[in-house]
Amino acid sequence: MDYVKAFLIGGALCLIGQILIDKTKLTPARILVSYVVAGVVLGGIGVYRYLADFAGAGATVPLTGFGYNLAKGVKKAVEEDGFLGIFTGGLKASAGGITAAILAGLLCSLIFKAKDKS
């Protein structure tokens, strides 16, 4: 049942993004940033935690989950380090994901040759 929940919630988040791409004039970059900001806001007010507990990877893997992870890291760092935690918490909490993304991008750039779209 966990797989079904993850599929439904993750699929719903992707469906919303696809509808935004198809029906609005928003660029994909703005939609991606909106997803991260939504995750930060929902994580900051404590709502996204319930969705993450319910859907697991379906809610934590998409970009909203990245924003939630940033907010959770900032909350924890502020409790531990005070004001300085505002600046360090998000990076500490998401360092593993950021590192994995950079290394995956580097690996792909070494394996594949870039081509012009035209």
Side-chain angles (χ1 to χ4, degrees):
M1 192 64 183
D2 289 339
Y3 293 121
V4 173
K5 290 183 210 175
F7 176 77
L8 291 175
I9 299 300
L13 290 171
C14 292
L15 176 67
I16 293 167
Q18 189 62 50
I19 290 170
L20 289 172
I21 289 171
D22 292 343
K23 301 294 182 183
T24 67
K25 293 189 183 273
L26 292 172
T27 63
R30 288 185 179 178
I31 294 169
L32 296 176
V33 169
S34 299
Y35 266 46
V36 173
V37 170
V40 168
V41 170
L42 293 174
I45 61 176
V47 175
Y48 203 83
R49 177 178 46 133
Y50 299 111
L51 185 63
D53 290 342
F54 174 76
T60 57
V61 171
L63 285 171
T64 50
F66 178 70
Y68 164 67
N69 195 29
L70 289 172
K72 188 170 63 170
V74 168
K75 274 186 176 181
K76 182 180 176 186
V78 167
E79 290 171 1
E80 294 173 358
D81 303 331
F83 182 75
L84 190 59
I86 294 172
F87 305 106
T88 62
L91 290 174
K92 284 181 184 178
S94 59
I98 293 171
T99 303
I102 291 171
L103 290 177
L106 175 65
L107 183 64
C108 287
S109 71
L110 294 174
I111 294 173
F112 301 102
K113 185 174 181 175
K115 298 176 186 171
D116 289 333
K117 284 187 172 184
S118 56

